[in-house]
Amino acid sequence: MNMDIHSACLYLKSIANMNRIAGLTDPAIIALTTAMETVCDYVAKSEIEKRDGVIYHPSTAGGEQ
Amino acid sequence: MNTISLNIFTNATESAPNTAVISRTLESIMIMFGPDIYDRLTFYLDPHPGIDKARDYYENIKKHYPLPEIKYCQSLSDGYLKSIRDARTDYIFQCEHDWEFLPTIKHSLDDILYVMKTRGLYHFRFNKRENKVAGWDTKLEERLSFANDNDANILPMKIFFSYCLTPNVSNNPHIIDVKKYRDEIAQHIIVRPGSLGIEREINAAGKYQSAIYGPLGYPATVRHLDGRGKK
């Protein structure tokens, strides 16, 4: 499978949504689904925090070079 | 008392990081429905397609509107599903970032929620054109609502406002019943890129209706500002 990070996140999100529609009861599936959503949200956050090709890191807040 | 919160869905378009369009949308909502809605506002920000401008756009939104939370999402459908999951109110007002509300709206949110509740409406939309058969609104049926809808013993019945039923559950500015969506309708939504994945998929189920503000022939209540490319 060949896809960019955005497409991969959409794919993971769609699977996570299908899990939720199916009605989650298994703790392992709940944890996996939540993890998938968290990772995808983190990717979106990272994309927003990217500037000039550099990933913005919280530790550089206020002193970004 | 029915409760409602406002969700504005935005993304980094060609006009980002300029916030003029989203500001115009939000200001017209507050002019039409009152400034209190600002206290129950959440932004859903999709950084695509202009990822390189997304951070400046985020910061500009934060600068203009410091209080509301800005949540990240991968697309409109992703943010839309998240907004349903995260909702803490009975109803949520779902609006993309590039709409202007027009003074043809003569009723408050409380009035509209009252009618939604008493008539069991789960999707209430503001129309971008006159209320007539056009586009995906393939059939319109006018309905009257009454101020004493919940008590038929109170006579005479006082006409509140009219609305039209349509089979088109559109993404255009609308209010949804959170419980109905959580329990049933959200299962038809598919996470897709851009603004895809919601209206076409729900309409394809072939069993849902939307209500449009105003009687047949009523003029447009919203105007599309088209936030995709205009600076």
Side-chain angles (χ1 to χ4, degrees):
Chain A
M1 191 177 291
N2 183 17
M3 60 173 66
D4 60 31
I5 188 73
H6 179 42
S7 301
C9 284
L10 288 169
Y11 184 61
L12 287 176
K13 283 271 187 160
S14 66
I15 293 171
N17 189 48
M18 281 190 277
N19 284 349
R20 292 196 178 277
I21 289 166
L24 301 178
T25 52
D26 185 332
I29 301 294
I30 292 172
L32 180 62
T33 299
T34 304
M36 287 158 65
E37 290 169 342
T38 303
V39 167
C40 293
D41 288 345
Y42 184 79
V43 169
K45 185 173 186 289
S46 299
E47 286 171 337
I48 287 170
E49 293 175 348
K50 192 190 299 180
R51 177 179 276 178
D52 300 332
V54 177
I55 298 291
Y56 176 75
H57 191 275
S59 65
T60 64
E64 191 184 7
Q65 300 301 306
Chain B
M1 183 72 172
N2 302 309
T3 55
I4 187 167
S5 48
L6 171 64
N7 298 317
I8 302 277
F9 299 89
T10 189
N11 65 315
T13 62
E14 285 178 31
S15 64
N18 189 319
T19 57
V21 172
I22 196 169
S23 294
R24 197 166 158 194
T25 299
L26 190 51
E27 281 160 19
S28 80
I29 290 174
M30 290 196 286
I31 288 169
M32 197 54 55
F33 298 111
D36 290 353
I37 195 74
Y38 181 74
D39 298 333
R40 287 161 282 145
L41 165 64
T42 304
F43 292 106
Y44 287 85
L45 172 57
D46 168 12
H48 306 93
I51 292 175
D52 54 335
K53 295 184 284 188
R55 183 180 175 201
D56 287 339
Y57 188 46
Y58 169 86
E59 288 180 346
N60 281 345
I61 294 173
K62 204 69 191 166
K63 187 168 68 183
H64 286 94
Y65 306 104
L67 294 180
E69 187 176 0
I70 303 175
K71 296 185 178 181
Y72 308 104
C73 56
Q74 293 282 347
S75 67
L76 177 63
S77 52
D78 179 32
Y80 197 94
L81 285 165
K82 189 183 291 190
S83 74
I84 294 167
R85 279 201 299 273
D86 293 352
R88 297 285 179 269
T89 51
D90 303 319
Y91 295 88
I92 44 179
F93 194 159
Q94 309 286 71
C95 187
E96 290 181 73
H97 59 179
D98 53 355
W99 292 90
E100 181 181 17
F101 288 74
L102 304 175
T104 42
I105 300 171
K106 305 293 185 189
H107 291 81
S108 68
L109 283 176
D110 282 344
D111 293 342
I112 292 167
L113 296 188
Y114 172 82
V115 171
M116 289 184 73
K117 182 81 170 179
T118 55
R119 293 301 179 94
L121 305 174
Y122 44 81
H123 187 283
F124 191 99
R125 188 180 107 213
F126 299 97
N127 204 353
K128 64 182 176 184
R129 58 180 164 245
E130 178 189 337
N131 288 350
K132 63 179 183 181
V133 172
W136 289 3
D137 291 321
T138 53
K139 191 172 85 170
L140 289 185
E141 293 177 8
E142 187 176 318
R143 295 281 189 275
L144 282 172
S145 63
F146 301 94
N148 44 357
D149 240 354
N150 57 356
D151 189 347
N153 294 320
I154 300 174
L155 295 171
M157 299 295 275
K158 182 183 168 194
I159 293 175
F160 205 28
F161 65 80
S162 299
Y163 60 90
C164 294
L165 292 176
T166 167
N168 175 22
V169 183
S170 160
N171 286 353
N172 291 175
H174 62 279
I175 298 166
I176 60 172
D177 178 339
V178 171
K179 186 174 188 315
K180 177 78 171 175
Y181 268 68
R182 274 190 188 146
D183 291 351
E184 184 182 338
I185 300 178
Q187 69 179 286
H188 298 288
I189 298 172
I190 300 171
V191 177
R192 293 193 194 281
S195 58
L196 303 175
I198 307 172
E199 55 191 0
R200 193 180 289 271
E201 285 69 13
I202 296 174
N203 286 342
K207 57 181 179 180
Y208 298 113
Q209 284 187 311
S210 174
I212 302 175
Y213 181 86
L216 285 169
Y218 198 72
T221 47
V222 288
R223 178 186 298 130
H224 195 200
L225 301 171
D226 194 357
R228 279 175 294 189
K230 291 178 181 172
K231 302 247 179 190

